[in-house]
Amino acid sequence: MINMIYAKSNPVETLKEHTDKVLENYEIIKDIYKDKIDLIGVGKDFWEIFKDACFYHDFGKVYTPFQNEIRKKIDHCQVNTKFKNDIPHGYISPAFMDSQEIIAKYGYSGYKILVQAIVFHHERDFQINDSYDYSEFCKILTEDLTGNLDLINNELNACIKKINCKYFNLTKQEARIKENNSEYKKYIMVKGLLQRIDHSASANVCAEIKSQKNISDAVQEYIKEKLKSDLRDLQLFCLNNREKNIIITASTGIGKTESALLWIGDNKAFFTLPLRVSINAIYKRLVDNIKYEDVGLLHSTSYDFLLNEGDENYLGKYEISRQLSYPLNVSTIDQLFTFPFKYRGYEKILATLSYSKIIIDEIQAYSPNIIAVILRGIVMLNNMGAKFLVMTATLPQIVKEYLEEKNVVVEYKTYCSQELRHKLCIKESEIIENLEYIVEKAKNNKILIIVNTISRAKEIYNRVKMSISRENIDFEVNLLHSLFIQKDRFEKEKRIKNYNKNGIWITTQIAEASLDIDFDILFTELSTVDSLFQRMGRCYRKRRYEKEEPNVYVYCKNSSGIGSIYDKDIYERSNDELQQFDNKFISEEEKMAIVRKIYSRNFLENTKYLEEFDKSLNFLESIFDYDLDKDKAQKSLRDFV
């Protein structure tokens, strides 16, 4: 006979202790975000259904074979039973709910949501219709559970009178609530948030951290008191349009980051960027400059970064970030935008983003496959009631075309610097052929070299080092790319951001996005125009250029990475468009116009880029709900990259 119901073995925790933690997290979410979640349109009974899901979700752990597994691990005596531990506890938990009572309270649709949220709060490779029929299922549950009703009633202050098996058909895969069902939105929120707070309770982390002040107030204070500046036009626009979906196309160095943070207001938010180096820079800016501590960091090496930063609480910060608990989170796309694959368990991410604001920075930097994932995700989020802001220096026209096709209401805004910052020299030669000239220029300038591949960056670095050693020239030559070990890479990222003397930095596209660096002259291999214009933003970032000689040299012969990193068709069309600017200034408006032209559907016709974009969208829009598990979804996303 069982005399104590355990929920976990490591650490040892009773069912009551775990359930109490889950209910505490329920109250935390309700206290902080009830008003935001209600705006999604989840219905008046949402919070009651959600609370019932929290209360009942683990009752199935009283099943004797499950208890025996825990008791074995903690060296307690096991209980004799003829049954095996081959039914996931989530499938058993609804047996303790009175179906007639629940249906009377919430209707049949509410009962269905509650049952499926509990049954699938842990997704398993298990389908009940392949394992049991109704009579067998009822026999197992009734025989095993009935004797423990008094125990579970006493431990959890419940009032369960009998075991109910009538939910059996609702556990079948064909009965699962899908995106086209009327119950979908409420189900996503109940099941997704149940997963969130269950995971948080297991990790001993609060499901939501309540900030002492919202990020918008912190940014305004920073701008006015630290920068001694008034809000710029773009910043005021974002501050005054916080309830709208916005897509901003703005010149580099015009204050997009602060504008996006002002748009957040008092909402939970996720700030995504394409590169880890950019995310680390934004994180540091928030913590060190803006003095906003309630920010999470989400990317594949965030643990190493927090450790290297010397934060005493790096372990706690890492775990809280993993549980999505901070009011503001900076993240790579791959940590969040797996949900468009609708894998088993995707509701956790979608539910959390649905009452949050989502910022997508530098969307043009992604491959056509990833842009497709982002756009499909935006449509799903928009349908759930979430708000998004897309920021970019150059907006691919296919982004606007797709969102218009899907009837997503967006406010578009363009802000261009009127200062001429870049005069081009288009070279019909390889960058390696011009290293002597580059070295000569570095004697009196800060030089940035950006190439398309790591192997080319290493080759140039070695040749430049040999050249200055042979000629006994005294200035620094530095190399930065993504394959350095984390410790060295973090140190190099710090150095390039604070570099302020003559010399050379050689890097790859890792330097393109959101790094606040400003060099005197840029020497670069030709890439596609969206990438190239981002590179230009690292040279004369906020300064007007008034000299006669060019400050941007673009090398068009034998560029590395074409066909592998950069689409060959887009590259060639970029080359064609740039020829007219040889030995001329190029304005910010002209840059934006070129990107709009090249990345419009008509101009992309018959390119591999458009083929991959459409193929990815078709794949995402035809996915069957719950067809993939999480590992396969993440693999699909990696394959897209």
Side-chain angles (χ1 to χ4, degrees):
M1 185 73 178
I2 296 173
N3 56 14
M4 174 72 71
I5 308 171
Y6 293 103
K8 300 180 186 300
S9 60
N10 186 24
V12 176
E13 186 174 65
T14 67
L15 179 58
K16 176 171 173 49
E17 288 170 337
H18 176 69
T19 303
D20 285 347
K21 285 182 183 178
V22 170
L23 289 169
E24 285 172 17
N25 274 318
Y26 163 86
E27 294 294 344
I28 288 168
I29 286 184
K30 186 176 180 182
D31 176 61
I32 301 175
Y33 290 114
K34 181 180 186 301
D35 291 344
K36 307 292 184 188
I37 291 172
D38 285 347
L39 289 174
I40 294 171
V42 289
K44 294 180 180 179
D45 56 6
F46 166 77
W47 293 100
E48 291 182 73
I49 295 174
F50 180 22
K51 188 172 186 178
D52 280 350
C54 295
F55 182 64
Y56 287 107
H57 79 287
D58 268 357
F59 273 35
K61 288 183 175 180
V62 76
Y63 185 49
T64 302
F66 183 93
Q67 285 298 303
N68 279 343
E69 288 294 321
I70 296 181
R71 295 169 79 87
K72 183 167 57 177
K73 292 174 183 176
I74 60 178
D75 296 325
H76 280 204
C77 294
Q78 298 178 53
V79 179
N80 289 330
T81 179
K82 63 182 179 181
F83 302 120
K84 298 178 180 179
N85 189 33
D86 56 359
I87 306 177
H89 70 268
Y91 281 78
I92 299 173
S93 295
F96 295 93
M97 299 190 304
D98 186 319
S99 59
Q100 290 182 326
E101 185 180 303
I102 298 292
I103 291 170
K105 283 174 66 177
Y106 308 131
Y108 183 76
S109 65
Y111 179 61
K112 182 178 181 181
I113 289 167
L114 183 54
V115 167
Q116 293 195 6
I118 291 171
V119 167
F120 301 114
H121 78 276
H122 292 298
E123 296 281 358
R124 311 289 189 194
D125 286 328
F126 175 87
Q127 293 192 25
I128 201 162
N129 41 316
D130 294 337
S131 305
Y132 300 96
D133 61 23
Y134 175 72
S135 60
E136 185 182 9
F137 183 72
C138 282
K139 181 181 178 182
I140 293 172
L141 267 57
T142 303
E143 288 187 16
D144 186 84
L145 303 178
T146 301
N148 291 317
L149 288 181
D150 288 342
L151 178 61
I152 203 165
N153 283 335
N154 290 334
E155 281 207 24
L156 285 108
N157 194 27
C159 188
I160 301 157
K161 297 174 183 176
K162 63 179 181 179
I163 297 302
N164 161 49
C165 303
K166 293 180 181 178
Y167 62 93
F168 178 82
N169 286 332
L170 292 177
T171 68
K172 296 181 178 179
Q173 289 298 313
E174 60 266 27
R176 292 196 68 167
I177 297 167
K178 301 178 178 66
E179 191 174 1
N180 59 350
N181 295 143
S182 59
E183 308 101 331
Y184 180 73
K185 185 180 290 189
K186 187 183 293 186
Y187 170 70
I188 288 292
M189 297 306 295
V190 174
K191 195 226 175 181
L193 292 183
L194 174 60
Q195 289 176 299
R196 273 278 317 281
I197 64 179
D198 187 33
H199 294 165
S200 297
S202 296
N204 289 309
V205 167
C206 283
E208 294 288 359
I209 304 297
K210 189 170 185 176
S211 182
Q212 296 306 304
K213 63 178 176 181
N214 72 56
I215 183 60
S216 295
D217 292 341
V219 170
Q220 289 185 75
E221 184 179 304
Y222 167 71
I223 291 171
K224 291 176 181 178
E225 296 185 10
K226 299 290 178 64
L227 300 183
K228 306 296 182 184
S229 174
D230 294 326
L231 296 183
R232 302 179 186 180
D233 289 345
L234 177 57
Q235 292 164 348
L236 284 169
F237 172 79
C238 288
L239 189 64
N240 294 329
N241 289 275
R242 285 181 286 187
E243 301 310 312
K244 295 180 179 178
N245 297 321
I246 300 173
I247 293 184
I248 295 167
T249 309
S251 307
T252 302
I254 208 165
K256 294 196 296 291
T257 300
E258 285 79 8
S259 300
L261 295 171
L262 289 167
W263 173 78
I264 292 170
D266 62 352
N267 294 271
K268 186 179 181 71
F270 291 83
F271 196 127
T272 70
L273 297 110
L275 297 173
R276 291 194 299 267
V277 59
S278 309
I279 290 171
N280 293 339
I282 292 288
Y283 176 85
K284 289 282 290 176
R285 194 161 159 190
L286 284 160
V287 174
D288 295 344
N289 298 347
I290 299 175
K291 305 300 181 185
Y292 187 78
E293 295 285 343
D294 297 320
V295 53
L297 187 67
L298 284 165
H299 59 69
S300 60
T301 57
S302 56
Y303 177 90
D304 298 310
F305 178 80
L306 292 170
L307 176 63
N308 277 282
E309 283 296 296
D311 191 323
E312 292 182 1
N313 189 36
Y314 71 93
L315 275 173
K317 191 141 202 171
Y318 174 71
E319 188 58 48
I320 295 170
S321 297
R322 286 183 65 235
Q323 299 303 329
L324 313 178
S325 298
Y326 281 110
L328 177 60
N329 307 269
V330 288
S331 172
T332 45
I333 281 289
D334 65 290
Q335 298 292 315
L336 299 175
F337 273 68
T338 48
F339 71 87
F341 293 89
K342 294 192 284 188
Y343 61 92
R344 295 190 291 277
Y346 79 95
E347 301 94 336
K348 175 182 175 179
I349 299 290
L350 181 54
T352 305
L353 296 182
S354 293
Y355 64 95
S356 307
K357 285 189 168 182
I358 300 92
I359 297 162
I360 299 164
D361 197 3
E362 309 295 2
I363 193 171
Q364 83 294 329
Y366 296 102
S367 69
N369 316 75
I370 298 300
I371 291 178
V373 174
I374 292 170
L375 291 178
R376 173 64 180 138
I378 283 175
V379 171
M380 292 176 69
L381 289 167
N382 182 69
N383 292 340
M384 288 294 297
K387 298 296 179 187
F388 65 87
L389 184 154
V390 174
M391 297 192 301
T392 178
T394 51
L395 180 69
Q397 187 69 6
I398 54 171
V399 171
K400 184 176 182 181
E401 291 168 351
Y402 179 80
L403 294 178
E404 287 176 349
E405 176 191 332
K406 296 298 179 181
N407 298 314
V408 178
V409 178
V410 180
E411 181 86 14
Y412 293 90
K413 206 70 177 178
T414 300
Y415 284 85
C416 272
S417 170
Q418 299 305 308
E419 291 187 342
L420 293 173
R421 300 183 295 180
H422 302 122
K423 187 174 184 179
L424 274 57
C425 176
I426 310 298
K427 305 282 284 186
E428 298 302 326
S429 59
E430 291 187 57
I431 192 168
I432 286 177
E433 298 172 15
N434 214 202
L435 294 184
E436 288 185 10
Y437 179 75
I438 294 173
V439 168
E440 184 64 30
K441 283 293 184 183
K443 293 177 181 178
N444 298 299
N445 294 280
K446 288 193 302 177
I447 301 297
L448 180 62
I449 299 174
I450 302 182
V451 291
N452 300 341
T453 62
I454 293 172
S455 59
R456 181 61 57 89
K458 289 179 177 178
E459 180 185 6
I460 290 175
Y461 175 76
N462 291 331
R463 291 196 182 200
V464 170
K465 287 287 286 185
M466 289 175 58
S467 176
I468 65 172
S469 175
R470 186 171 56 248
E471 298 180 28
N472 199 26
I473 300 172
D474 184 24
F475 60 68
E476 282 189 29
V477 180
N478 297 282
L479 177 65
L480 173 63
H481 55 69
S482 61
L483 291 186
F484 281 104
I485 62 172
Q486 290 300 321
K487 183 180 178 182
D488 291 346
R489 181 169 158 184
F490 292 149
E491 180 59 34
K492 286 176 175 290
E493 288 169 7
K494 289 179 184 177
R495 287 178 59 205
I496 193 171
K497 284 187 287 184
N498 297 306
Y499 193 73
N500 197 28
K501 56 186 175 182
N502 298 335
I504 298 174
W505 274 87
I506 302 159
T507 183
T508 58
Q509 56 268 42
I510 194 173
E512 287 178 17
S514 300
L515 265 186
D516 193 1
I517 57 177
D518 187 12
F519 282 74
D520 298 326
I521 306 176
L522 169 67
F523 294 88
T524 178
E525 287 186 302
L526 177 62
S527 59
T528 54
V529 285
D530 50 302
S531 169
L532 182 68
F533 295 155
Q534 285 296 110
R535 296 177 185 188
M536 290 185 194
R538 311 307 126 187
C539 170
Y540 269 74
R541 183 170 172 81
K542 299 176 183 178
R543 298 176 284 164
R544 181 182 181 85
Y545 189 68
E546 297 178 333
K547 297 179 182 178
E548 285 299 315
E549 63 179 319
N551 65 341
V552 175
Y553 293 79
V554 182
Y555 295 83
C556 303
K557 182 180 177 182
N558 294 334
S559 297
S560 60
I562 306 308
S564 55
I565 296 173
Y566 295 104
D567 182 276
K568 188 172 184 292
D569 295 320
I570 308 288
Y571 171 86
E572 291 174 350
R573 295 177 191 197
S574 298
N575 192 0
D576 293 341
E577 290 294 322
L578 283 174
Q579 294 303 317
Q580 61 184 303
F581 294 99
D582 184 28
N583 205 35
K584 294 180 182 177
F585 281 95
I586 184 169
S587 70
E588 300 305 308
E589 290 94 338
E590 287 169 325
K591 293 176 189 174
M592 291 178 185
I594 289 171
V595 172
R596 281 198 303 271
K597 177 180 178 181
I598 287 181
Y599 286 95
S600 64
R601 180 166 286 275
N602 287 339
F603 205 77
L604 288 170
E605 192 172 352
N606 298 321
T607 64
K608 184 180 177 183
Y609 184 100
L610 186 61
E611 179 186 344
E612 291 181 355
F613 177 76
D614 286 340
K615 182 179 178 181
S616 299
L617 276 175
N618 291 335
F619 172 75
L620 291 164
E621 291 175 349
S622 63
I623 284 177
F624 290 107
D625 301 62
Y626 319 114
D627 195 38
L628 303 175
D629 62 26
K630 188 175 183 180
D631 289 342
K632 288 180 180 177
Q634 289 176 327
K635 182 181 183 301
S636 295
L637 187 58
R638 287 194 297 270
D639 290 345
F640 273 26
V641 177

